[in-house]
């Protein structure tokens, strides 16, 4: 069981006097508290520290945590240069990089960003898959790549990443088509469905697609992106804080956000119970986004969630495995 945290790199999550250099200390603190990964998100919708720049700052000052993107938007960057950057990050971190990717969404989180990047909105999912295939080809020493959308001849020698074949690449997306593509092509699945039952059925689809492609089910890491707020006042107090977070970060009420994303709020016991439902549904790498405004409040939430790590790990050990043939008590 892995428990990770999303760094508050967006300035909408900061308070007066907060500064970007505090994010490095935040990542180091997460490692010391026992989190197994530190993730950053990626967008041009609101001011934020650029994702790969943030990971480059964390690579030399951390030792054990996975450094990840949740999720990187490859269409914002040139694909060959991005392969070089990711390989460099994998080297600088000693092989601790995980790259979750996405194609963006309709509305302000999608098409306007494609226009800014001068990349066609049409066939965006095929472009994403080909971009990842190009990265993997470059990381394996290829000097050409011929896809339906991306075609390159005479590619120069690329920087070799720390790990043979490059860092694992996960897909962020919960639609049936995304589940199928995850099983066939990706190393992990990072959705955020509000209902654990939807996570369980989606994971079954991912593993069915993997089996159809001749891949072992355990080759695909089952992860979950979830917003969390732990409050001593219980559910009412936690939801009040999460309401302010949803409106500041997304410009929408909590009731609307929790219809489309996994949101967990309450006392420590309530949060543990709700997260355990996702663990029982098969999630084995939780990427937790603290639902708090201001870096001091974010740090407080970091401490509170860290207190749940032992219990969540025990919940995963007790959960029935989803990989056929595994013995009860093992983590798939």
């Amino acid at each position: 069981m892995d428990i990770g945290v999303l760094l508050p790199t967006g300035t909408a999550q900061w308070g007066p006097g907060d500064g970007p250099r505090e994010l490095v200390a935040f990542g180091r603190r997460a490692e010391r508290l026992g989190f197994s990964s530190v993730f950053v998100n990626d967008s041009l919708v609101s001011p934020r520290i650029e994702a790969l720049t943030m990971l480059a700052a964390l690579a030399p000052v951390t030792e054990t945590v996975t450094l990840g993107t949740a999720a990187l938007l490859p269409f914002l960057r040139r694909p060959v240069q991005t392969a070089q950057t990711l390989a460099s990050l994998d080297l600088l971190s000693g092989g601790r990089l995980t790259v979750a990717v996405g194609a963006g969404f309709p509305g302000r989180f999608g098409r306007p960003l494609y226009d800014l990047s001068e990349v066609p909105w049409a066939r965006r999912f095929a472009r994403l898959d080909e971009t990842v295939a190009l990265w993997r080809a470059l990381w394996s020493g290829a000097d050409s790549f011929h896809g339906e959308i991306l075609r390159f001849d005479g590619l120069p020698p690329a920087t070799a990443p720390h790990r043979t074949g490059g860092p694992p690449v996960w897909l962020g997306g919960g639609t049936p088509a995304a589940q199928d593509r995850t099983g066939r092509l990706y190393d992990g699945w990072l959705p955020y469905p509000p209902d654990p039952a939807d996570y369980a059925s989606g994971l079954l689809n991912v593993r069915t697609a993997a089996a159809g492609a001749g891949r072992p089910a355990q080759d695909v890491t089952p992860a979950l992106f979830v917003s969390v707020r732990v409050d001593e006042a219980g559910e009412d107090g936690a939801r009040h804080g999460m309401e302010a977070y949803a409106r500041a970060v997304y410009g929408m009420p909590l009731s609307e956000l929790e219809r489309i994303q996994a949101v967990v709020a309450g006392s420590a016991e309530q949060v543990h119970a709700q997260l355990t439902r996702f663990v029982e549904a098969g999630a084995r790498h939780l990427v937790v986004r603290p639902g708090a405004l201001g870096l001091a409040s974010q740090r407080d939430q970091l401490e509170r969630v860290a207190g749940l790590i032992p219990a969540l790990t025990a919940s995963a050990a007790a959960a029935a495995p989803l990989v056929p043939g595994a013995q009860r008590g093992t983590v798939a």
Side-chain angles (χ1 to χ4, degrees):
M1 187 72 205
D2 289 303
I3 312 293
V5 63
L6 185 80
L7 284 184
T9 56
T11 59
Q13 300 167 74
W14 302 357
D18 290 340
R21 293 174 67 87
E22 295 177 65
L23 298 174
V24 175
F26 193 104
R28 296 179 67 185
R29 180 61 178 161
E31 182 175 65
R32 289 194 294 270
L33 287 170
F35 288 89
S36 56
S37 60
V38 175
F39 278 75
V40 296
N41 57 13
D42 185 30
S43 180
L44 293 178
V45 171
S46 61
R48 69 185 61 243
I49 301 301
E50 195 274 328
L52 301 184
T53 304
M54 187 73 248
L55 295 186
L58 288 170
V61 298
T62 55
E63 297 179 358
T64 61
V65 287
T66 293
L67 302 176
T69 59
L72 191 73
L73 301 175
F75 66 85
L76 297 178
R77 301 164 175 84
R78 298 292 186 182
V80 174
Q81 286 86 343
T82 305
Q84 169 89 350
T85 302
L86 294 173
S88 300
L89 276 172
D90 198 47
L91 284 169
L92 289 169
S93 66
R96 291 185 286 124
L97 180 65
T98 289
V99 186
V101 298
F105 302 94
R108 70 188 185 101
F109 296 105
R111 190 157 192 163
L113 303 185
Y114 276 80
D115 293 340
L116 285 171
S117 298
E118 300 180 309
V119 174
W121 174 253
R123 302 198 67 195
R124 59 192 182 279
F125 302 113
R127 178 180 294 275
L128 175 64
D129 293 345
E130 281 199 9
T131 297
V132 173
L134 170 63
W135 293 348
R136 289 169 170 162
L138 285 164
W139 295 334
S140 299
D143 60 5
S144 64
F145 181 85
H146 298 143
E148 294 183 24
I149 299 172
L150 303 176
R151 303 180 66 85
F152 297 95
D153 287 303
L155 289 168
T159 298
H162 183 272
R163 287 163 289 184
T164 301
V169 184
W170 299 355
L171 183 62
T175 66
Q179 295 160 10
D180 178 74
R181 290 163 52 233
T182 298
R184 291 186 294 105
L185 302 172
Y186 289 85
D187 304 305
W189 186 46
L190 185 64
Y192 47 57
D195 190 339
D198 290 336
Y199 186 92
S201 61
L203 182 57
L204 179 60
N205 292 340
V206 168
R207 288 176 163 163
T208 299
R215 305 179 65 200
Q218 58 266 31
D219 281 2
V220 184
T221 299
L224 172 76
F225 185 97
V226 54
S227 296
V228 171
R229 184 178 179 93
V230 181
D231 198 305
E232 294 173 352
E235 186 174 3
D236 289 344
R239 288 184 62 82
H240 179 76
M242 192 69 84
E243 178 75 43
Y245 182 87
R247 291 182 180 275
V249 176
Y250 283 97
M252 65 175 66
L254 176 60
S255 59
E256 185 175 341
L257 179 65
E258 62 189 353
R259 284 199 297 267
I260 58 176
Q261 291 190 12
V263 176
V264 172
S267 66
E269 292 77 12
Q270 290 170 323
V271 168
H272 171 251
Q274 293 177 70
L275 290 178
T276 295
R277 293 179 62 209
F278 284 102
V279 172
E280 292 172 343
R284 290 298 180 271
H285 194 138
L286 305 183
V287 179
V288 172
R289 176 172 59 180
L293 298 175
L295 295 186
S297 295
Q298 285 271 339
R299 287 189 292 269
D300 177 66
Q301 286 297 310
L302 186 72
E303 303 272 347
R304 292 171 185 260
V305 174
L308 300 177
I309 291 176
L312 289 169
T313 301
S315 296
L322 295 185
V323 176
Q327 297 298 312
R328 182 171 180 82
T330 61
V331 177

